Amino acid sequence: DPAYESLRGWLEAEGAKLGAVAIADFGGLRGLMATRRIDAGEEIVAVPARCAVDLGAQGDDPLPAARALLEARARDAGGAREPYYATLPQPDSPDLCTPDFWGEATLELCQWPPLAEEVRRRAADIESALGGGGEGEGGAAGEA
């Protein structure tokens, strides 16, 4: 995948050590895979802190981290971290498999009202934070 190759190239140019792994896609879920035998105690991945996007540590509410990511992406637009942002999951990605990304039909299948209520509350918070005013289709991202 060219996006992953670009990300790897940027990280290595910044001094990251990725020699034992490759960025991979596992049926729509992204991650790392070993490219060779890794010995016990061996460093597997090292990425310089300057490459990280600091989303803070606000607890279990995803909204502050989501805001921080959107703000960082806007600040960094066209900058060095663009290869990273290009690999973030799209709204229909299997990587987004938490209840926050389920639609109403899937939430109802769970038959657990407290979960559905929490997801709806967070979706409304996100919609409000993004400046939207319309009713969503359920979940933070709706359902296709």
Side-chain angles (χ1 to χ4, degrees):
D1 182 312
Y4 292 153
E5 290 173 21
S6 179
L7 175 61
R8 183 182 189 99
W10 168 65
L11 288 169
E12 288 178 337
E14 290 293 322
K17 295 177 184 151
L18 308 169
V21 299
I23 301 168
D25 186 289
F26 301 93
L29 298 175
R30 61 197 180 121
L32 296 177
M33 70 174 191
T35 57
R36 61 173 174 76
R37 178 180 158 77
I38 300 171
D39 295 322
E42 179 182 352
E43 180 179 76
I44 299 171
V45 173
V47 177
R50 68 182 169 275
C51 296
V53 178
D54 184 359
L55 302 181
Q58 296 87 4
D60 63 355
D61 181 358
L63 191 55
R67 282 185 183 136
L69 179 62
L70 291 172
E71 290 167 1
R73 191 169 190 175
R75 246 188 343 268
D76 295 344
R81 286 192 184 106
E82 204 55 44
Y84 164 71
Y85 294 122
T87 64
L88 290 178
Q90 296 300 307
D92 62 348
S93 170
D95 281 345
L96 303 177
C97 56
T98 66
D100 290 303
F101 298 96
W102 296 351
E104 275 301 315
T106 304
L107 281 173
E108 292 303 318
L109 286 174
C110 288
Q111 298 181 0
W112 186 246
L115 172 66
E117 290 167 16
E118 178 65 15
V119 168
R120 289 180 191 119
R121 182 194 62 77
R122 290 199 300 232
D125 288 349
I126 290 169
E127 184 72 22
S128 175
L130 294 175
E135 285 290 315
E137 295 177 23
E143 187 169 84

